[in-house]
Amino acid sequence: MSEFLDILTHGRRFKAAVKELSVEDLKDVAAKLEKIIAEKAQQAEEESAAMAERNAKIEEIRLQMEAVGLSIDDLGAVATKAAPKKRAPRPAKYKIVVDGETVTWTGQGRTPTVFKNELDNGKSLEDFLI
């Protein structure tokens, strides 16, 4: 929780934070908070009404489906879409043996350090082709 919310929601900390405000300033803050509370309440009411309307439409469609003899499982068979297949990993194009360890690289992406060191020493990528 942010520092502001900690102060705002803790009674003694809030009282200490507003200690220097005048009565008029406190009334102004209270009015602003009341406005925010009213807006939040209206927003919650609108969301509740929208959800009730949505649920009513779902129930209407469910009753229509029941009248025709369809079930939700029937819709699932039609609406499902096959997941895209992953492509196979790319085969290694370059190989180097360093200290008994084989390092391979596809030639794409960042150049591995062992290849970079050898390239800096004057070798070419053709020397490492598989």
Side-chain angles (χ1 to χ4, degrees), residues 94-96 98 102-120 125 128:
Y94 303 102
K95 179 171 94 172
I96 188 171
V98 178
T102 302
V103 179
T104 59
W105 180 44
T106 62
Q108 293 190 343
R110 193 170 171 183
T111 307
T113 306
V114 292
F115 285 99
K116 188 169 171 65
N117 292 342
E118 293 296 322
L119 292 172
D120 291 344
L125 277 179
F128 306 114

Side-chain angles (χ1 to χ4, degrees), residues 3-21:
E3 180 70 20
F4 173 73
L5 288 177
D6 284 340
I7 292 171
L8 191 62
T9 57
H10 190 272
R12 286 184 294 185
R13 290 181 74 188
F14 183 69
K15 188 175 181 180
V18 298
K19 174 173 62 173
E20 297 177 7
L21 293 178

Side-chain angles (χ1 to χ4, degrees), residues 10-79:
H10 190 272
R12 286 184 294 185
R13 290 181 74 188
F14 183 69
K15 188 175 181 180
V18 298
K19 174 173 62 173
E20 297 177 7
L21 293 178
S22 67
V23 174
E24 293 81 26
D25 291 339
L26 285 173
K27 287 181 180 179
D28 186 41
V29 168
K32 289 177 183 176
L33 282 174
E34 286 296 326
K35 182 179 176 186
I36 291 171
I37 291 169
E39 288 173 358
K40 278 272 198 184
Q42 182 181 1
Q43 182 182 11
E45 188 177 308
E46 288 172 358
E47 287 175 2
S48 177
M51 186 59 77
E53 182 180 336
R54 180 180 179 272
N55 289 340
K57 286 184 180 184
I58 290 172
E59 182 63 22
E60 180 184 333
I61 292 170
R62 190 187 65 75
L63 290 174
Q64 288 175 356
M65 287 175 52
E66 197 174 278
V68 176
L70 293 174
S71 69
I72 293 177
D73 295 333
D74 295 334
L75 294 178
V78 175

